Amino acid sequence: MDEKKPKTELLDELEKGPWPSFVTEIKKATETSPMATDLLGQLELSYHERKGHWKHGGIVGVLGYGGGVIGRYSDVPEQFPNIAHFHTIRINQPSGWFYTSDSLRTLCNIWERHGSGLTNMHGSTGDIVFLGTRTEELEPVFKELTEAGFDLGGSGSAMRTPSCCVGEARCEWACYDTMKLCNDLTQAYQDELHRPSFPYKFKIKCAGCPNDCVAAEARADLSVIGIWKDDIQQDDEAVAKYAAEGLDIQRDVCDKCPTRCMSWNGELTINNRECVRCMHCINVMPKALRPGVEKGAALLIGSKAPIVQGALLSSVLVPFVPQEELFDTIKELISRVWEFWDEYGKNRERVGELIQRVGMANFLDAIGLDPVPQMVTAPRDNPYIYFQKKSENE
């Protein structure tokens, strides 16, 4: 190893095994980037001392934007001067993460000129992430990005960059155009994206079907999950062919249905009134079963990762919205949710945590929605929606 490069006995352990390693990628970047060399050195130091050496030294950004740049500084700059500043830039990704080769080369060239050359494709919110640059390089990076047709994503207490699966572009199960909706929402909420004004972050993720390939149900404050309202489309000949080819339909399909709404006795019967649209049967027999014809999306609210409080999964807010009404419905719903959250949310309190604190019944009343049965997962076990009986005088 070159004398200028740090010894990395502990980091080297992360390169062992069959899986990809970020250490390997950083080592490759050291061939052209002094920042990557110092980054390896500081990481190794952190592993030895079991202590992080990043500090937050103040707010940094670009002119006119309050978000999109995460400030990061080393607390040992005398040892690693090339990463004394190591700011992260979030860039709004194209819907469905579709790129041309030219656009990827453009992004990489910009970053090699102005930063470490290290990227994360993509962050958990969906953004393209540029890892590591100095304060004086922020404006030049932003200028070149905007000239190339890219914009910064969200960070801080703002609406985060909306993201979506590829939807109808490549997936036969998509129940609405995820990429169009994601783009329309991104364009509609530019001010909320770039100028933080919320109690905390707000994420929107668009999944084309209940397979939820963007994990919206676990990570988004507002999840748009593609769904159908009518019956599953069923091809009995194709079902029989699956059985003839050795698929155990009773064991692998019917017994794994969460509501046991399917039965098999040489012919597949589906009680569609009990179907919860989990997609299992469709995933197992894609040539025999398909989503219904009446397509749209369910709107769910309140999920998040375990940061301030524990992790939350989404709760159903609107069970079904036809695909042609999605954009207008979401805008109207968001305006009500944001108004209540802005008024009653505490600092760094996500929407899901607010709902936990005030109760779902009070939240629904505040935003003007009536409770529906789909909001209750187990009414005899955990009734968080209370239906009040009318008095005799009413």
Side-chain angles (χ1 to χ4, degrees), residues 29 44 58 175 177 183 190 204 229 235 238 281 300 302 315 317 338 371 382 387:
E44 181 72 14
C175 295
D177 189 340
N183 182 71
Q190 286 291 292
I204 302 174
K229 191 176 183 180
D235 183 337
C281 60
L300 286 69
S315 301
L317 198 58
W338 283 352
N382 184 24
F387 294 86

Side-chain angles (χ1 to χ4, degrees), residues 258-330:
T259 60
R260 297 295 192 272
C261 74
M262 313 182 81
S263 61
W264 170 252
N265 55 1
E267 183 176 331
L268 184 67
T269 303
I270 304 175
N271 179 2
N272 279 278
R273 288 179 60 85
E274 297 297 321
C275 174
V276 292
R277 299 357 182 216
C278 76
M279 290 291 290
H280 172 71
C281 60
I282 296 174
N283 291 335
V284 175
M285 299 192 295
K287 295 180 180 178
L289 303 175
R290 300 183 62 82
V293 176
E294 192 176 350
K295 297 177 180 178
L299 306 182
L300 286 69
I301 196 162
S303 66
K304 70 174 194 69
I307 301 177
V308 178
Q309 295 184 24
L312 294 173
L313 290 178
S314 296
S315 301
V316 173
L317 198 58
V318 182
F320 182 79
V321 181
Q323 53 184 327
E324 62 274 7
E325 300 175 14
L326 266 175
F327 182 66
D328 291 336
T329 300
I330 289 172

